[in-house]
Amino acid sequence: MDLTELFRLTGRTTIVTGGGSGIGRASARVLASAGARVVVADLDADSAEQVTAEIKEEGGEARAHRVDVADPASVNALVEETAVAYGGLDILVNNAGIMIRRPLAEISYEEFDRVLSVNLKSVLYGCQAAARVMRPGSSIVNTLSTIIDFPTVGTGSYAAAKKGAEALTRTFAVELGPQGIRVNGIAPGWTDSGITRQRGTDGSGRFDQQQFDTLAHKMAAAAPLRMTAEAADSANAVLYLASAASRAVTGQVIRVNAGASMA
Ligand SMILES: NC(=O)c1ccc[n+]([C@@H]2O[C@H](COP(=O)([O-])OP(=O)(O)OC[C@H]3O[C@@H](n4cnc5c(N)ncnc54)[C@H](O)[C@@H]3O)[C@@H](O)[C@H]2O)c1
């Protein structure tokens, strides 16, 4: 058996939302390394361009696309334009996300709405649009979070969104399975990225590496493997779920969190 063939994505068209940073960037690069052509989609057009350039420098095929995943018209345009340009869509990674840390008793309705729009409704928009153009054998991967397994202070809106996205993942898996489309999730634990770096940033926008490292060590100490995951670890799980190696897997969530939570 040729193991590399199992993970090879040559000729497969892929979209990664939030591809300009962190876990999305790592996923875009890993998928491109496996041979996929990757549309790096992000609200931040500059970061999408930068990751596209990185992939091309490594000999991969990529293009940048500015998208706001909270806007269904923007998501539809992303998926439709990609499908027209490349004759279809094989892999969609609904990865873009934000966190607004605020206790539920204090969060404004606008903030709550924003977190749900970017982290939850985006998954609905992405999966719906993809289902219209995907062929049998296609795969959707939604980025959830370890937050689906236990509550923490200040992350209630994020948890509601990610738990909802888990429900969408499982239901889409049931509904799209007969079309040969698989839908799975990854649930990363603490990972060095734009989102977690907010935790080491004070009110004036100054990043405190020591504060960030202290928090990361705390997270590592609480995990059975005594480590925190890197963006590349999540990207490798995305590669598995995108590839033929996982052809019989749907409706599942892979927890990439050093064992910090299990379900
Ligand atoms: N870093 C962690 O510890 C961690 C843990 C669990 C889950 N996650 C999830 O991983 C995913 C990726 O986040 P990350 O940690 O790499 O953070 P990140 O901030 O490095 O990357 C998020 C990317 O999403 C983009 N984005 C934000 N809003 C968008 C919008 N409306 N439309 C399009 N793009 C948008 C940002 O510009 C950014 O490039 C998110 O869904 C996040 O919730 C992260």
Side-chain angles (χ1 to χ4, degrees):
M1 182 192 291
D2 184 347
L3 282 183
T4 53
E5 263 322 297
L6 211 50
F7 290 93
R8 190 131 286 288
L9 299 175
T10 308
R12 311 279 276 170
T13 299
T14 299
I15 295 173
V16 180
T17 70
S21 175
I23 292 167
R25 171 174 173 261
S27 300
R29 293 181 62 161
V30 164
L31 294 170
S33 300
R37 61 175 78 87
V38 181
V39 177
V40 181
D42 205 292
L43 188 60
D44 179 347
D46 289 344
S47 69
E49 290 288 356
Q50 199 179 320
V51 173
T52 299
E54 289 169 8
I55 289 172
K56 286 181 176 169
E57 264 168 41
E58 288 165 3
E61 195 181 341
R63 80 197 242 182
H65 187 117
R66 187 184 176 280
V67 69
D68 180 358
V69 297
D71 173 6
S74 182
V75 175
N76 286 337
L78 166 68
V79 171
E80 281 162 22
E81 283 169 29
T82 301
V84 167
Y86 297 118
L89 174 67
D90 302 292
I91 297 153
L92 170 65
V93 186
N94 285 312
N95 167 80
I98 57 164
M99 182 190 282
I100 298 176
R101 292 186 70 83
R102 190 103 54 221
L104 284 178
E106 296 165 20
I107 197 163
S108 71
Y109 298 149
E110 290 75 19
E111 288 170 328
F112 194 83
D113 277 346
R114 183 70 191 153
V115 173
L116 259 61
S117 292
V118 177
N119 295 290
L120 172 60
K121 291 184 185 176
S122 61
V123 174
L124 176 73
Y125 306 148
C127 292
Q128 281 190 345
R132 288 194 286 269
V133 298
M134 279 181 156
R135 295 172 287 244
S138 297
S139 171
I140 298 173
V141 183
N142 299 324
T143 304
L144 311 174
S145 165
T146 293
I147 206 81
I148 62 175
D149 295 329
F150 53 79
T152 63
V153 173
T155 57
S157 58
Y158 184 71
K162 293 296 187 182
K163 199 69 191 164
E166 180 192 28
L168 293 186
T169 300
R170 291 155 60 102
T171 308
F172 268 118
V174 172
E175 293 181 353
L176 300 183
Q179 274 173 248
I181 301 171
R182 299 184 296 108
V183 188
N184 292 287
I186 60 161
W190 172 274
T191 308
D192 187 347
S193 75
I195 284 183
T196 43
R197 280 183 172 251
Q198 284 171 8
R199 300 287 303 277
T201 305
D202 65 21
S204 64
R206 196 182 61 88
F207 179 70
D208 183 336
Q209 185 71 50
Q210 205 176 348
Q211 185 186 321
F212 181 80
D213 289 346
T214 303
L215 207 49
H217 284 133
K218 213 175 106 186
M219 295 297 176
L225 288 178
R226 303 287 186 267
M227 60 178 276
T228 54
E230 294 177 3
D233 296 310
S234 285
N236 292 338
V238 169
L239 171 62
Y240 167 69
L241 292 172
S243 73
S246 62
R247 62 186 282 270
V249 178
T250 197
Q252 307 300 316
V253 177
I254 299 184
R255 287 163 169 77
V256 188
N257 62 14
S261 75
M262 304 173 196

